[in-house]
Amino acid sequence: MSSSIYAEPLDNDVIGHVDVEHDFSGVIDVRVGYADSIDSYLDGGLGKFGVDNGAHLALSQLGLSYHSQWGDAWSSRIVANGYVDGINNGLGITEAILRYRDIPSEQGIRFDFQFGLMYPQISLENVATAWASPFTLNYSTINSWLAEEVRHVGLSTTVESLGKYRQSEHDFSLTAEAFMFNDTTGAMLAWHGWTQTSRQTLVQETIPITAIPAMEEGGMLDAQAANSDPFTELDDRIGGHVLAKWTWRNKGSLQAGYYDNNANTHIVKQGQYVWLTQFGHIGAKWRLPFGVSLVSQFMQGTTLMTNTDGYPVVDNDFYSGYVLLSKRWDKHRLSLRVEDFSVTDNDLTPEDNNNEDGQSLTLAYQYQLDRPWFIQFEYNAVDSTRPARAYLNESIELLEQQWQVSSRYFF
């Protein structure tokens, strides 16, 4: 078994020849905490955290990853996650990938193909076992949204140019992804806004939608099901994502990409509407002086849902960005993350105001008890303005805070 917290235990440029090699890794994350908030978005409310107001004790993640390697190039990975939080308990698959990663050519060119249930290659934060973050307990708003409804079944093709074959410290890669089973992507971002959590939606799950007046009988959204299905396929169209990345060895990396699910918004089946969601994103991961790591990402895009005649019912612009600084020394790690996010409602649908504006602060301290065992203290604050909270008789302007203590064991 691997004791590394990182998700790719076999990540050498050339993997030694073996017939079949198996590797299990995982994470057990138990937390106790307190939230000064309102009902969680997971409970059909408009709270930004994955817990309701008050004290909580939870199995926040039981992550299991099974990796197999056969030959020099073929491998597979299956990831399952479980949660016992008293709101949305569950156990299920979150990733299942078959991979062919070629041996580099003499010129340092390598091809990497992946097929299956996967995340688009966006996150710079969630790089630990079972898509956990080694920096903070709660993910950034960007990666919380990816964890909730931006996953798909698809084919990813990457071509890399490895600098060491050119006596260079610079690596370059270009990735193209084609995918399906993502037609409702954007629904939750519209109806509960940006959130900050550490929960990944399981493949068999649906997500409760906040009850708003527009979804009552006679409203413009009364045909919408009470829950959104984030992994459904309704229009039989293929979406795409492209990503370019530059890595300067031992210094850092920069990346930029564009995502388009290429959806046909004229379709609605069994209460599930098709959403057209498009966004661009940039990110950087860099080593600063004094051993400080910088991780930063920014995303900006649009999401559109229409009726079957093409009339725009939900039409939103959105953005989110974060800067994370992390310093690790001896058995300690201190991380600070600040964020800014927004949703702009451009449609005229009555009783469905999706406007939102907010900022977030996360401060985390981690102590390593043993090589795979960490104790972590974390404070989260989200200050946001969301007019839709008035539908639930909650404050439009709200400062939500959360304190957490976690015991995380990686194996």
Side-chain angles (χ1 to χ4, degrees):
M1 291 188 181
S2 171
S3 60
S4 170
I5 69 172
Y6 293 98
E8 293 290 347
L10 299 175
D11 196 26
N12 300 315
D13 287 337
V14 181
I15 300 174
H17 177 74
V18 291
D19 290 332
V20 180
E21 184 172 322
H22 305 275
D23 185 87
F24 283 93
S25 57
V27 55
I28 302 172
D29 182 348
V30 178
R31 300 183 200 174
V32 60
Y34 182 84
D36 179 9
S37 182
I38 58 177
D39 287 347
S40 169
Y41 72 96
L42 287 174
D43 214 11
L46 287 174
K48 293 300 184 186
F49 300 129
V51 296
D52 287 332
N53 186 58
H56 58 272
L57 170 66
L59 175 60
S60 294
Q61 185 179 18
L62 171 60
L64 300 172
S65 178
Y66 168 65
H67 179 275
S68 63
Q69 179 84 36
W70 55 108
D72 291 330
W74 288 96
S75 65
S76 66
R77 185 173 77 251
I78 299 176
V79 180
N81 276 286
Y83 306 92
V84 181
D85 53 19
I87 297 179
N88 195 4
N89 303 333
L91 173 66
I93 301 297
T94 50
E95 298 175 74
I97 299 169
L98 176 66
R99 183 180 192 182
Y100 177 84
R101 193 185 196 198
D102 201 4
I103 297 174
S105 70
E106 293 182 358
Q107 292 75 36
I109 303 300
R110 177 170 61 191
F111 289 91
D112 188 341
F113 302 92
Q114 299 186 58
F115 175 78
L117 173 66
M118 66 181 74
Y119 285 98
Q121 294 188 35
I122 296 175
S123 181
L124 296 177
E125 182 183 35
N126 295 68
V127 295
T129 300
W131 215 74
S133 168
F135 306 107
T136 61
L137 301 177
N138 275 11
Y139 312 153
S140 65
T141 51
I142 287 177
N143 289 294
S144 294
W145 181 47
L146 297 181
E148 184 175 32
E149 64 171 355
V150 192
R151 223 173 319 154
H152 49 243
V153 175
L155 172 66
S156 171
T157 302
T158 299
V159 58
E160 300 174 275
S161 174
L162 303 176
K164 69 179 184 179
Y165 290 80
R166 297 179 274 103
Q167 290 73 52
S168 171
E169 296 181 340
H170 303 278
D171 299 337
F172 301 92
S173 68
L174 182 64
T175 299
E177 298 178 286
F179 50 79
M180 299 178 71
F181 295 93
N182 63 337
D183 287 343
T184 63
T185 297
M188 302 316 301
L189 184 57
W191 286 325
H192 65 46
W194 297 99
T195 62
Q196 194 181 93
T197 184
S198 60
R199 197 183 195 283
Q200 304 171 58
T201 303
L202 309 177
V203 70
Q204 77 275 11
E205 286 184 324
T206 59
I207 308 168
I209 299 172
T210 306
I212 58 175
M215 293 182 185
E216 296 175 356
E217 186 174 355
M220 288 189 66
L221 292 167
D222 64 354
Q224 170 65 46
N227 284 32
S228 178
D229 185 348
F231 309 123
T232 190
E233 181 56 45
L234 303 173
D235 63 1
D236 298 324
R237 292 171 67 167
I238 298 174
H241 174 236
V242 293
L243 176 75
K245 185 174 183 178
W246 163 56
T247 301
W248 190 354
R249 197 170 306 129
N250 299 321
K251 289 185 173 60
S253 64
L254 300 175
Q255 66 179 40
Y258 182 76
Y259 177 102
D260 182 352
N261 72 345
N262 188 36
N264 178 1
T265 61
H266 291 202
I267 295 174
V268 55
K269 296 179 182 178
Q270 298 179 333
Q272 301 292 328
Y273 285 81
V274 175
W275 293 66
L276 175 63
T277 299
Q278 303 163 315
F279 58 84
H281 61 93
I282 56 175
K285 206 167 190 176
W286 213 261
R287 294 185 180 182
L288 301 179
F290 307 106
V292 175
S293 296
L294 165 71
V295 183
S296 182
Q297 293 187 267
F298 180 79
M299 172 187 292
Q300 185 171 18
T302 62
T303 186
L304 172 69
M305 184 265 273
T306 74
N307 62 17
T308 54
D309 296 324
Y311 179 83
V313 180
V314 181
D315 181 5
N316 293 333
D317 298 331
F318 61 83
Y319 76 78
S320 181
Y322 72 86
V323 176
L324 183 151
L325 297 173
S326 185
K327 166 67 175 176
R328 186 176 182 180
W329 71 101
D330 297 330
K331 294 185 176 183
H332 311 272
R333 181 194 286 273
L334 186 64
S335 299
L336 170 69
R337 185 180 62 221
V338 293
E339 305 179 59
D340 187 74
F341 56 85
S342 175
V343 177
T344 302
D345 191 330
N346 300 313
D347 60 77
L348 301 176
T349 299
E351 307 293 340
D352 180 36
N353 191 334
N354 306 137
N355 283 304
E356 176 172 276
D357 183 71
Q359 294 77 40
S360 171
L361 170 70
T362 295
L363 182 63
Y365 167 73
Q366 180 187 92
Y367 180 76
Q368 185 174 357
L369 292 173
D370 197 359
R371 184 178 180 186
W373 188 11
F374 300 84
I375 299 295
Q376 188 152 330
F377 304 85
E378 183 163 305
Y379 170 72
N380 311 109
V382 180
D383 186 4
S384 65
T385 300
R386 187 171 182 87
R389 284 197 282 255
Y391 303 143
L392 305 182
N393 297 315
E394 301 285 359
S395 297
I396 292 175
E397 297 183 3
L398 193 63
L399 172 62
E400 298 168 82
Q401 301 178 83
Q402 181 177 214
W403 297 263
Q404 301 181 82
V405 180
S406 167
S407 171
R408 291 205 291 180
Y409 186 85
F410 291 89
F411 59 90

